[in-house]
Amino acid sequence: MSRLSRRDIVLRGLSITLLGFALVAAPWILTLSLKYRGFVISTSGKISHAIVGPPDVERHHPLYRTFHVPEPGRITAWEDPDPKLYAFWSPFENLRYAKHQLKLIYYNAKRAVDVLSGFDWLRLGLCAALCGFLIHTPWRRNMAVERWRWAGLPVICIPAIYLPVFAYEQRYYYPVYPFLLAASTGIVVSLARDARKKLNVPRLIGLILFAFSFANHPRSILPRTLKGQGVEFPVEMMQAHDMAKRLKAAGVRGPVTGTYLSGEGVTLYIAFLIDQPWYGG
């Protein structure tokens, strides 16, 4: 039996990976395509691009600036937003739109760097991932021998998806976290090589340093989150929870409406807590 070449192994692995993705995604693609009567993979990308467009027209989510009635069985229309209600734009329409797109990519890149570097307290993970992937020689040999260096690729590619669109939510970048951790561990092991000693002190110090850096953030956030103090809008959530309790105690049921932008989403939270539709605002 002949041995497979490295190229054949890579191609076979890539084919199996793509097949796995296709098997999971195909039912959802089929469902969306039947609903919208055309081939559709997702509608969120176009919408995320629309809401960050030039300020020449109103581009915010229609959900928050109009009164409307959601479809039966839904709390909000945002569960399945209608793309036709958005003001889409293209950077190829005119020079002003092209400049806006370039500025958007610039500010999104700054946001991505800020979020990724903030995943560890000493801000070492992003530097380790990028340096481990880009800055070393001989590049081809190192990438083949030290597989941890490939962790830098998703660290670059995942944020790059969001650069042309809405990219401000921290949760978009969570998939990058394990790759930052892998790259940090890999670069310490690679730089602190010493096979002659049983106790590799530089490597031990490096691993402790990275472990402390990555563990400090969860250590400070987790206790507050478990106590309910880590939500994005704590005051609004408490107000909504109190009002929902009062409405339930009074036996009041029915649709909820209100101005989202001025009320910071209190009415939307109330609708969710009492399981009633939200008519926007």
Side-chain angles (χ1 to χ4, degrees):
M1 182 177 178
S2 61
R3 294 180 60 186
L4 293 173
S5 67
R6 181 176 298 172
R7 178 174 176 274
D8 291 335
I9 293 173
V10 171
L11 290 176
R12 180 172 294 186
L14 181 62
S15 300
I16 294 173
T17 302
L18 292 176
L19 178 61
F21 275 116
L23 291 175
V24 174
W28 299 104
I29 294 174
L30 177 62
T31 302
L32 288 172
S33 300
L34 291 174
K35 175 177 174 58
Y36 293 106
R37 299 182 181 180
F39 181 73
V40 176
I41 295 178
S42 170
T43 59
S44 60
K46 288 179 63 178
I47 291 174
S48 295
H49 188 252
I51 63 174
V52 292
D56 51 351
V57 298
E58 177 58 66
R59 300 185 186 275
H60 195 54
H61 291 291
L63 172 77
Y64 302 135
R65 54 186 172 85
T66 62
F67 291 104
H68 58 275
V69 179
E71 293 182 12
R74 301 190 186 278
I75 292 178
T76 77
W78 209 5
E79 295 175 51
D80 184 20
D82 186 354
K84 294 192 217 130
L85 301 177
Y86 288 84
F88 295 112
W89 63 284
S90 169
F92 302 107
E93 289 184 45
N94 54 58
L95 182 60
R96 185 162 57 89
Y97 280 17
K99 289 181 179 178
H100 180 82
Q101 182 69 81
L102 292 176
K103 288 181 181 177
L104 183 64
I105 292 173
Y106 170 73
Y107 287 116
N108 283 343
K110 287 182 64 178
R111 168 63 177 169
V113 170
D114 184 58
V115 173
L116 295 180
S117 60
F119 278 153
D120 64 293
W121 187 53
L122 297 175
R123 298 179 178 266
L124 300 172
L126 181 60
C127 181
L130 295 180
C131 291
F133 181 67
L134 299 172
I135 307 175
H136 55 92
T137 56
W139 191 89
R140 189 184 295 272
R141 179 182 175 280
N142 289 342
M143 295 301 292
V145 174
E146 299 179 304
R147 301 297 178 86
W148 65 266
R149 295 185 182 275
W150 288 102
L153 186 60
V155 170
I156 296 172
C157 292
I158 293 175
I161 297 171
Y162 298 103
L163 293 185
V165 296
F166 182 84
Y168 302 107
E169 294 290 345
Q170 189 181 54
R171 67 178 184 272
Y172 297 168
Y173 305 99
Y174 287 161
V176 179
Y177 187 87
F179 296 104
L180 294 175
L181 192 58
S184 301
T185 306
I187 202 167
V188 170
V189 172
S190 178
L191 293 177
R193 287 198 181 109
D194 191 349
R196 295 169 298 176
K197 297 180 181 179
K198 291 184 179 180
L199 180 61
N200 191 327
V201 176
R203 178 179 294 182
L204 182 61
I205 293 174
L207 292 176
I208 291 175
L209 185 65
F210 273 103
F212 170 77
S213 184
F214 275 90
N216 186 71
H217 189 64
R219 181 197 61 77
S220 61
I221 296 296
L222 188 59
R224 292 194 296 118
T225 303
L226 294 176
K227 294 177 182 178
Q229 301 171 348
V231 294
E232 188 174 2
F233 304 114
V235 176
E236 290 75 20
M237 284 295 293
M238 290 176 64
Q239 292 173 344
H241 190 268
D242 180 64
M243 182 59 71
K245 277 197 338 185
R246 292 170 183 265
L247 291 173
K248 288 180 180 179
V252 178
R253 292 183 59 82
V256 181
T257 188
T259 304
Y260 181 89
L261 293 178
S262 61
E264 298 294 338
V266 174
T267 54
L268 177 56
Y269 296 142
I270 292 173
F272 172 77
L273 291 170
I274 66 175
D275 195 24
Q276 292 295 311
W278 189 66
Y279 281 11

